[in-house]
Amino acid sequence: MLASPALAQPSAQASHAPPHVLPPALAWSGASEKLVAREDDPWITPAEVSDFAATPRYAEVRAWLERLAQASPLIALETFGKTGEGRDMLLVRASKGPAADGKSKPVVLVQAGIHAGEIDGKDAGLMLLRDIAVRGKDRLLDKVDLVFVPILNIDGHERMSVWNFLHVRGPDEKGTEGNARGINLNRDYAKADAPETRAMIALLRRLDPILYIDCHVSGGFDMQYDITFTYAGWGRYARHRATANWLEQRFGPGVTAALAKAGHTPTIYPSPIDTRRPESGIRQSPEGPRYSTGYGDFIGVPTVLVENHMLKPYRQRVLGTYVLLERAMTLAAQDAPAIAAAKAADRAARPETLLTRWQPAKEPVGWVEGFKGVAFESYASPASGRMEQRWTARPQTLRMPIVGQEPVETVTLPKAWLVPAAQAEVIDRLRLHGIRMEILEQARALELDRVRLKDPALQAPHDGRVPLQARFEHARARETVPAGTIRVPSDQPLGLLAAALLEPESQDSFLAWGFFPEVLFPPAGSEDFVLAPIADALLARDAQIRTAFEARVASDAHFAQDPEARLEWLMERTPAPNRETGVYPIRRET
């Protein structure tokens, strides 16, 4: 056991900056360093000017891009929405114009700064745009267009501080994870609460890219790998197989080879089981549509999550991102017809089930031999009162189990979901996602699946919502569905996304995100002097109810001594008009 590390640093109260406690960085040099502009280059980026110690703020990014757009006909700067605080959301389109047949070229869409403290993609993208526009790499645009969003979470980006993202080595000041409301935009794709997410979903629909790349920086444990990436359902859990096959068979090997040639150490992102015990393994798991990668999987768009390693120097991470993006554009151009075919195949598929719950498999689904890890030591922390890690920068190799998942719950999709016209918030999200709907022009009498919540419980608030958990009881019922009801068929390209949003068991359903608080409200009551004789009469005339009531009184002392509970139990068994408390408002047409 080691002693607690001493810090030759003023106390936090006496200093405006945090103490420098990150472990030593592994030595690195690589061919990608040739990508850095000379000091006298008129198109040197702000990050290069600072030798990657700093990253430019929004206004400086916008001014630099405006100057580039004025200098090159290949570059166009546009806005595509407003942030919560009213800032223009920017995109850059790099294009040589339509293809020879006059049709628009397929698009590679890259976004940076969804978590504004993980900003590598922004500065890599500016360098790549510079080299496309004025440094001779315009060949990258021969068969595809590049659409680049330099900062998705602009409001969080402008909250820069040396205290943000303390685990990430550079730049000196970073933005926040959440937007102005503290919403994590990479948990918001399904519920679409934030204006930034809504703008990005609309952009995805408008562009329908052949490749979508979301740039991040990882947390977790130290390791030798610097540039990592992954996809939804990596390994075996993708919701749509054709696009996943292209990512796994073409994108991954192609990008890995390019990064290695440029001097980087890439791998598929090793999502850790336990950061304190790296040898416990790497997680493979399905993803829901709350995440960019999960959302891309659900809508049939090949989507890549870049996770640069937090402890690698900012310069190294930015250069690796540049290499990845450049190679991604080349691969997308080469494989555009194959990607289009994969997207079409996925969108033609009509899955009949949706996996909604899973748990870690008892046995590993594979092993990573020779995982390039880093050794750590442990010391007793007076602050935490436990043993903490101190990474040593000593390389080591590990044999890492890959821990997969086994299904716990799967639901069968209905023919359609019936959404009451009053559920405007839900209908708005369905329209935003591009899910096909129809409005019933006349009332219909239908046999439907009616879902009742059992033991509903509110969860800890996060990302602008108070989530809800419950068990569910399904029952057939004949109901008259009023005119104006929204019918959402499952037989459509986005049927699986509709299921993830509307099936109550789904972890990313609108219900799970707390969209229907009214289902928890008790019905309007009446006076006890009115209810009691109605309940007395029910007991007198209905032997079956009387027997059940007496059994409940005999077996439940709390119930027996609670007059309100007794009356409520009996009134629930009357033909009262308000029967919607505890009932999921959306019906399932099976």
Side-chain angles (χ1 to χ4, degrees), residues 39-58:
E39 291 183 6
D40 61 350
D41 190 323
W43 288 107
I44 191 170
T45 66
E48 291 171 305
V49 168
S50 72
D51 195 21
F52 299 93
T55 189
R57 290 183 175 267
Y58 168 76

Side-chain angles (χ1 to χ4, degrees), residues 225-519:
Y225 304 100
D226 57 352
I227 309 299
T228 76
F229 53 89
T230 190
Y231 340 101
W234 166 62
R236 64 201 68 217
Y237 302 109
R239 312 287 183 159
H240 284 113
R241 194 66 255 170
T243 47
N245 285 343
W246 181 82
L247 288 167
E248 293 174 10
Q249 296 168 14
R250 289 286 294 158
F251 180 90
V255 165
T256 297
L259 284 163
K261 184 178 179 180
H264 295 273
T265 308
T267 191
I268 291 289
Y269 172 59
S271 178
I273 299 293
D274 183 349
T275 58
R276 293 177 173 273
R277 296 176 54 250
E279 72 281 359
S280 62
I282 298 168
R283 178 188 297 103
Q284 282 186 353
S285 176
E287 283 189 16
R290 70 180 62 185
Y291 306 103
S292 63
T293 40
Y295 188 76
D297 185 18
F298 271 86
I299 66 173
V301 171
T303 303
V304 176
L305 177 76
V306 179
E307 285 281 6
N308 294 339
H309 189 252
M310 59 184 175
L311 294 177
K312 302 304 178 284
Y314 191 52
R315 174 190 180 97
Q316 180 180 351
R317 301 197 322 260
V318 170
L319 296 178
T321 305
Y322 181 117
V323 173
L324 183 148
L325 296 180
E326 182 177 16
R327 183 56 179 151
M329 290 185 66
T330 303
L331 286 166
Q334 292 172 351
D335 291 4
I339 300 171
K343 290 173 60 179
D346 283 344
R347 292 173 181 183
R350 294 295 183 266
E352 296 179 353
T353 61
L354 173 70
L355 178 63
T356 55
R357 302 280 168 183
W358 48 88
Q359 64 186 13
K362 296 180 177 60
E363 298 294 332
V365 297
W367 293 84
V368 177
E369 305 290 347
F371 182 87
K372 297 179 180 180
V374 171
F376 69 90
E377 299 167 336
S378 299
Y379 71 94
S381 167
S384 71
R386 66 182 176 190
M387 302 300 291
E388 300 292 353
Q389 292 168 306
R390 184 160 62 203
W391 298 96
T392 64
R394 294 198 306 269
Q396 66 174 7
T397 57
L398 301 169
R399 185 171 188 257
M400 300 278 274
I402 301 173
V403 179
Q405 308 296 313
E406 56 189 28
V408 172
E409 178 186 69
T410 301
V411 298
T412 300
L413 273 59
K415 291 179 182 177
W417 298 269
L418 296 162
V419 183
Q423 295 293 342
E425 191 177 35
V426 167
I427 296 167
D428 166 73
R429 285 356 183 244
L430 295 173
R431 287 201 177 99
L432 174 69
H433 289 301
I435 292 170
R436 183 164 58 84
M437 304 177 289
E438 59 193 42
I439 301 174
L440 300 187
E441 296 182 358
Q442 295 180 336
R444 293 185 191 177
L446 298 170
E447 288 286 335
L448 300 173
D449 180 30
R450 192 168 186 262
V451 182
R452 180 173 289 277
L453 281 64
K454 309 296 289 184
D455 304 320
L458 298 177
Q459 305 301 295
H462 66 91
D463 295 310
R465 290 279 174 178
V466 181
L468 176 72
Q469 284 188 1
R471 295 181 297 108
F472 301 101
E473 182 181 89
H474 292 253
R476 298 287 294 172
R478 187 165 184 81
E479 297 186 21
T480 298
V481 180
T485 297
I486 304 298
R487 184 178 184 271
V488 182
S490 59
D491 183 7
Q492 62 171 296
L494 295 179
L496 202 62
L497 177 61
L501 300 175
L502 297 175
E503 284 293 285
E505 289 85 357
S506 169
Q507 296 181 52
D508 270 330
S509 70
F510 293 130
L511 179 66
W513 277 110
F515 271 62
F516 305 96
E518 66 272 18
V519 303

Side-chain angles (χ1 to χ4, degrees), residues 25-42:
L26 301 177
W28 177 80
S29 64
S32 62
E33 292 179 286
K34 297 177 182 177
L35 298 168
V36 180
R38 299 189 315 271
E39 291 183 6
D40 61 350
D41 190 323

